[in-house]
Structures are given as structure tokens and as C-alpha cells.
Amino acid sequence: MTKEATVPDDATGLHADAATLRADCARCFALCCVAPAFCASADFAVDKPAGRPCPNLAADFRCSVHNRLRGHGFAGCAVYDCFGAGQQVAQVTFDGRNWREDPSLAEPMFAVFAIMRQLHELLWHLAEAWTLPAAEPLRARLRAVYDETRRLTHGQPQALLAVDVDTLHRRVNALLVQVSGRARAGVRRRADRRGADLIGADLRGADLSGANLRGAYLIGADLTGADLRLADVTGADLRAAKLGGADLRGALFVTQAQLDAAVGDAGTRLPSGRTRPAHWSRSGQPPRSGDRRDPDGRKSVA
């Protein structure tokens, strides 16, 4: 399943090709199955060091258990999203050459993928921010940073490895915080739970409308029936969070991966442009949670 940001297609928009911000595994060389390290846990059945192919990876760069990932103990793979970085590295940066045919490409390709994924995630958030009416006064700045970041993604391998991602991350994050503040300004009570440890918290029916939940740890939290309208969930960890009957309409910066990692039901109201995950069962039992490290070891934008 692919994931994408809602990118406006008009004369004043960011002119982004939405396809570049969603994963196209058929045009990648299974970079996410090789480059990252992951630890045996509830989400990953085995230990795998960085740079070593997953044991489920076939010779044609396809996953041999793709349709049965959760049942085989690889739920973490089912929710991973490279935001289109994989095909950008494979088809643009390295011009269709792959690490199996030319093993000398493996190390630089994997290193570039770690950088590219961060850049594409930033692009996704900038594009998402652009769609918000509250972003109108900030759109010139959003566009400038977006265009700058987009140019970086077309650089040569050595140029990409030299990108100061941390500085760019801080600049983008500052803009997103401003957009978020403007979007939530009309909410009377706005709880500030940024980075809060809410693991396993009982938040059933909680009024979290307009709340700042950026980077919050909501692993296994019970958000059944909670009001999350206009809540900012940038980088929030929603693994195994119970979203049955929760209202996420208008929630800010909700990625498809966050929803895929959580568990909801037919009554969960989703933000525009998001898809109800196929694995959400009527039983209300959450998927198993675990720990995955991105190739670069960074957390999501927050």
C-alpha cells in the first residue's frame, strides 16, 4: 500500500509530484529491507544488522512474505514508510544501478538512503502544511524551504551525504510549529503534551481537541472515543494505540504510517486523505508493538 501527502495541483501550489512522496517499491531495490538495523521484538521476528538483507528478501528485490508480514512477526515492516525516498535513491541518485549487481554501491547507497528518507519526510510535512488554510501567511516561506529541500534530493551522492539535515530539520520544524499554532488557535482549551510519556495511558473519551501531542509517546494508550480534532500529532508514537471511535478529523500531520501502527475500528473518523488500515479488526485487539530503527537512527519529525 502506498501513502501520499495531499499536494495541491494549482498555479500557486508547491508543484510537487505526489508520486515522489509515496513509496513505490517496484522502482526501488529493497533499500528498507537491507539498509536499516532492527532488533528482534514484537515487530521484528529476528535481529538484523544494518546493511544485511532481511532473510525474507527474494532475489527479485521483493519480500517473500509481503502479504503475511504481521503473521510472520514483521508488523514493523508493514507500517514502515520511506515517503518515496527508496525510488528516488534507486532511480535518480544512482540512475537505476543496484547494490546486487555492483556491490561497491551498497555502502554509499544505503548511507544516501538514510539522508534521503529524512529529506522526503520533511517534504511530506511541508506539503501537508501548505494545504492548511491557517498556513496562508506562511506559504511563501513554506515554498522557499520546500523548493530548497527538493533541490537537495536531486544532488549527487557525495552532496547528499554532506547535507546538514539537523539544521534543515530545525528550520522546517520551526515553520511547522508556527503553522500548527495558527491552525489550533481557535480551540479554547489546548492541552500541551508535547513529548509526554503517555504509554498505556487511559485516555478514553478524552478531549484532546487542539492538543499539542508532538513527539508524545502514546504506545498502547487507550484513546477509544477520544476527540483528537485539530490535535497536532507530528511524530507521535501511536504503536498499538487504541483509536476505536476516536475522532481524528482535521488532526494535524497524521501520517498513514501512524494509523497503520495503531488499531481502530469502523467508528474511527479519519483525517481527509488517509486510508482506513486493512488490518484494523472488529475485535478491537491492537497489533503487536515493537521497536524499529530507521537507517539513520532518527525519530520522525517532531
Side-chain angles (χ1 to χ4, degrees), residues 141-213:
R141 293 172 61 191
L142 285 168
R143 177 167 183 163
V145 178
Y146 183 96
D147 289 345
E148 176 187 344
T149 305
R150 186 64 181 274
R151 284 193 294 272
L152 291 173
T153 67
H154 287 270
Q156 295 299 308
Q158 289 304 313
L160 281 159
L161 293 174
V163 172
D164 186 349
V165 180
D166 287 339
T167 296
L168 180 60
H169 184 280
R170 287 192 292 270
R171 289 173 57 200
V172 171
N173 197 48
L175 269 176
L176 298 180
V177 168
Q178 291 182 60
V179 172
S180 172
R182 293 183 62 86
R184 298 180 294 114
V187 181
R188 186 175 58 181
R189 297 180 59 188
R190 296 182 295 164
D192 188 356
R193 306 306 301 273
R194 178 170 183 168
D197 182 352
L198 298 171
I199 296 174
D202 184 354
L203 297 169
R204 289 174 292 178
D207 181 3
L208 294 169
S209 56
N212 183 353
L213 294 170

Side-chain angles (χ1 to χ4, degrees), residues 1 56 62-72 74 78:
M1 181 173 64
N56 297 315
R62 295 177 181 271
C63 175
S64 61
V65 296
H66 177 70
N67 295 325
R68 306 179 302 280
L69 283 168
R70 294 179 185 278
H72 281 70
F74 290 90

